[in-house]
Amino acid sequence: MTDDDASEPVLSTAADGGSAAAQTAVRLSRRPGDSSVARADLQRDETVRRWGLVTPSATRIGRADSPENDLSENVRRLHDERHPAMEGYSARAHRLEKLRLTHALCGDLALTPWQRDRAIGIMVDLDLTAFGSQRAIPKVALVVIRHVVDRERERHLGLHDDEWIAEQSPERLADLYDQFRSITDEDRFDALCEQHGLDVTNLNRLRRTLTEQLDDQDLHDAVYGRNPYRDPSLPSLGSRAVTAGSGG
């Protein structure tokens, strides 16, 4: 008996002592790799899946029979999002792209979870058309990240409060501004801005545009995944405090 015979046991389909025809053997192979995907099928599957969608045109389905002919009306309706199955797809894809790219930049810059959620919350609902030729998602996302991080650092030092600043002495203000460190002073942020074609002038100009859009679109308090409005059905915090105090 060979090693192959030992790895392929024979299971008889008939009782012992039956005829040779009734004792038809069924071989069950237990060698490594058996019952797996065939090598040719695996190679074909890997070749097909290796190429992802690179351009929007790659998502087009169907083609005309010849250069002189046009697509059928049904396929054209799919391309133009006039079919119920495709309605609103481009808007949803654009929103997801803003979320994905902003999240990636926040991770690259090692932002805190709160700073990340603030930046994404602004980006997903921000109308980018106001930024004109500079409305590329990575560019606007970097401007939003700069605004969110710098604003938080200003609040930490009290530099966002104009009335409070007016009451401080020049020496105190000089000390506070010395402590403030903008994200634009960090090497990684500077490298990303250079990679996406943003200089200091563009950053400042686009931040002014961003501030105007935050006012117009009411996005100053936007935080991704968090609702700024309290459920009116919940009891107020004041009534809970009063109840707790009376119970003692």
Side-chain angles (χ1 to χ4, degrees), residues 172-192:
R172 173 62 173 163
L173 290 179
D175 180 61
L176 289 174
Y177 280 109
D178 287 340
Q179 296 180 43
F180 175 75
R181 185 166 183 260
S182 172
I183 193 175
T184 56
D185 298 330
E186 298 179 6
D187 294 338
R188 184 54 189 159
F189 185 84
D190 185 61
L192 288 174

Side-chain angles (χ1 to χ4, degrees), residues 26-48:
V26 178
R27 291 182 175 273
L28 299 179
S29 174
R30 298 179 181 175
R31 290 178 298 181
D34 288 333
S35 301
S36 61
V37 180
R39 184 182 300 274
D41 293 336
L42 180 60
Q43 182 178 5
R44 187 182 306 110
D45 184 67
E46 290 178 346
T47 301
V48 172

Side-chain angles (χ1 to χ4, degrees), residues 1-9 27 31:
M1 178 182 293
T2 64
D3 292 340
D4 290 342
D5 292 334
S7 63
E8 298 181 357
R27 291 182 175 273
R31 290 178 298 181

Side-chain angles (χ1 to χ4, degrees), residues 11-15 17-26:
L11 301 182
S12 177
T13 58
S19 62
Q23 294 181 352
T24 304
V26 178

